[in-house]
């Protein structure tokens, strides 16, 4: 029998993948290993609470994270996995009270985060493809991953993540090809007097302001401290790109593909930077004078 394809509202999907720390029990501040050199307050093992995590699961240094240069904390995004594990998988039980469940909770959080990240990319792909067949394929994958997120804790820990990641990556590649074709004409018409982007992944500190970035493939690229001020990044693929301190003031990122909140949180933007609707403008970006 043919499987029914539920019509997916990508905005609804992306909304459920936003972090909601009030509904979480500080999983990212406990479950993860982190180090001082990566912008966290100290070096700590996975499963040990951060020194700043209070008994009520809030951060005692929350207001000073940026001032103190704790970029690891300000950039991290769990894609809503924290509240899902806390409220859905474990029905509101927290790891301080239910010590026997601690390790299971932390392990489930790490798997859930990966599932939610896949959902984010699939939901994002739905925003830029119009091809019916591709939309259906994305919707089927979304439904499949959503079902996994609803499993019980033991089943979640036994998910073969790599198997699903391979399937998701394959469909995202196809969606990317479609997006490239769509953008081709726009690129030709709007790239006068611009240099072609050189091949490669290393753009650390590079001045890209006079380069044609429309439809650029920045998948996995190092754009740390790159100057991309006032550039047009329509259709650019930014999956996994490192945007730490990249200057995107005045840049147009509205129609970029596979961009996440944590990438935006690490970049240097301003009130003129244009973002996809699904992403929030960081409060600390330059505001209008
Ligand atoms: S400093 Fe605050 S936000 Fe960062 S890991 Fe510690 S408790 Fe969490």
């Amino acid at each position: 029998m043919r499987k029914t394809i539920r019509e997916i509202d990508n905005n609804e999907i992306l909304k459920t993948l936003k972090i909601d720390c009030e509904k979480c029990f500080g999983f990212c501040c406990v479950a993860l290993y982190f180090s001082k050199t990566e912008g966290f307050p100290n070096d700590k093992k996975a499963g040990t609470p951060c020194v700043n995590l209070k008994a009520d699961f809030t951060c005692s240094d929350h207001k000073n994270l940026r001032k103190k240069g704790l970029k690891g904390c300000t950039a991290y995004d769990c894609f809503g996995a924290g509240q899902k594990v806390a409220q859905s998988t474990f029905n509101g039980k927290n790891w301080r009270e239910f010590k026997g469940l601690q390790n299971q909770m932390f392990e489930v959080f790490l798997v859930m985060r990966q599932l939610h990240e896949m959902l984010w990319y699939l939901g994002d792909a739905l925003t830029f493809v119009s091809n019916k067949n591709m939309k259906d394929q994305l919707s089927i994958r979304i439904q499949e991953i959503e079902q996994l997120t609803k499993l019980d804790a033991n089943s979640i820990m036994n998910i073969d993540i790599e198997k699903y990641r391979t399937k998701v990556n394959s469909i995202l590649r196809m969606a990317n090809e479609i997006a490239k074709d769509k953008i081709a004409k726009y690129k030709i018409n709007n790239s006068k007097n611009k240099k072609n982007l050189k091949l490669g992944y290393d753009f650390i500190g590079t001045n890209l302001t006079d380069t044609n970035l429309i439809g650029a493939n920045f998948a996995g690229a190092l754009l740390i401290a790159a100057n991309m001020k006032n550039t047009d990044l329509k259709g650019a693929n930014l999956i996994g790109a490192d945007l730490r301190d990249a200057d995107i003031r005045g840049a147009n990122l509205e129609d970029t593909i596979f961009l996440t909140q944590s990438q935006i949180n690490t970049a240097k933007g301003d009130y003129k930077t244009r973002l996809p609707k699904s992403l929030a403008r960081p409060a600390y970006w330059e505001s209008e004078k």
Side-chain angles (χ1 to χ4, degrees), residues 10 48 62 94 287:
N10 59 305
T48 311
H62 184 67
N94 74 64
S287 52

mmCIF file of all heavy atoms in Angstrom, residues 10 48 62 94 287:
data_model
loop_
_atom_site.group_PDB
_atom_site.id
_atom_site.type_symbol
_atom_site.label_atom_id
_atom_site.label_comp_id
_atom_site.label_asym_id
_atom_site.label_seq_id
_atom_site.Cartn_x
_atom_site.Cartn_y
_atom_site.Cartn_z
ATOM 1 N N ASN A 10 6.850 23.726 6.876
ATOM 2 C CA ASN A 10 8.253 23.879 7.275
ATOM 3 C C ASN A 10 8.434 24.905 8.386
ATOM 4 O O ASN A 10 9.299 24.763 9.248
ATOM 5 C CB ASN A 10 9.135 24.206 6.071
ATOM 6 C CG ASN A 10 8.712 25.459 5.374
ATOM 7 O OD1 ASN A 10 7.561 25.586 4.984
ATOM 8 N ND2 ASN A 10 9.618 26.388 5.232
ATOM 9 N N THR A 48 29.505 15.984 33.653
ATOM 10 C CA THR A 48 29.773 16.782 34.869
ATOM 11 C C THR A 48 29.140 18.158 34.677
ATOM 12 O O THR A 48 29.366 18.789 33.635
ATOM 13 C CB THR A 48 31.303 16.985 35.039
ATOM 14 O OG1 THR A 48 31.925 15.727 34.910
ATOM 15 C CG2 THR A 48 31.649 17.625 36.357
ATOM 16 N N HIS A 62 24.895 34.081 33.126
ATOM 17 C CA HIS A 62 24.210 34.259 31.843
ATOM 18 C C HIS A 62 24.396 35.659 31.222
ATOM 19 O O HIS A 62 24.679 35.792 30.035
ATOM 20 C CB HIS A 62 22.719 33.967 32.024
ATOM 21 C CG HIS A 62 21.955 34.038 30.747
ATOM 22 N ND1 HIS A 62 22.150 33.134 29.717
ATOM 23 C CD2 HIS A 62 21.050 34.936 30.301
ATOM 24 C CE1 HIS A 62 21.371 33.467 28.707
ATOM 25 N NE2 HIS A 62 20.703 34.555 29.031
ATOM 26 N N ASN A 94 13.891 15.319 36.080
ATOM 27 C CA ASN A 94 15.193 15.950 35.856
ATOM 28 C C ASN A 94 16.322 15.107 36.435
ATOM 29 O O ASN A 94 16.114 14.273 37.316
ATOM 30 C CB ASN A 94 15.208 17.387 36.404
ATOM 31 C CG ASN A 94 15.269 17.428 37.913
ATOM 32 O OD1 ASN A 94 16.239 16.984 38.515
ATOM 33 N ND2 ASN A 94 14.219 17.942 38.540
ATOM 34 N N SER A 287 23.422 47.837 16.486
ATOM 35 C CA SER A 287 22.083 48.334 16.177
ATOM 36 C C SER A 287 22.180 49.657 15.437
ATOM 37 O O SER A 287 23.263 50.249 15.347
ATOM 38 C CB SER A 287 21.286 48.506 17.469
ATOM 39 O OG SER A 287 22.041 49.285 18.357
#
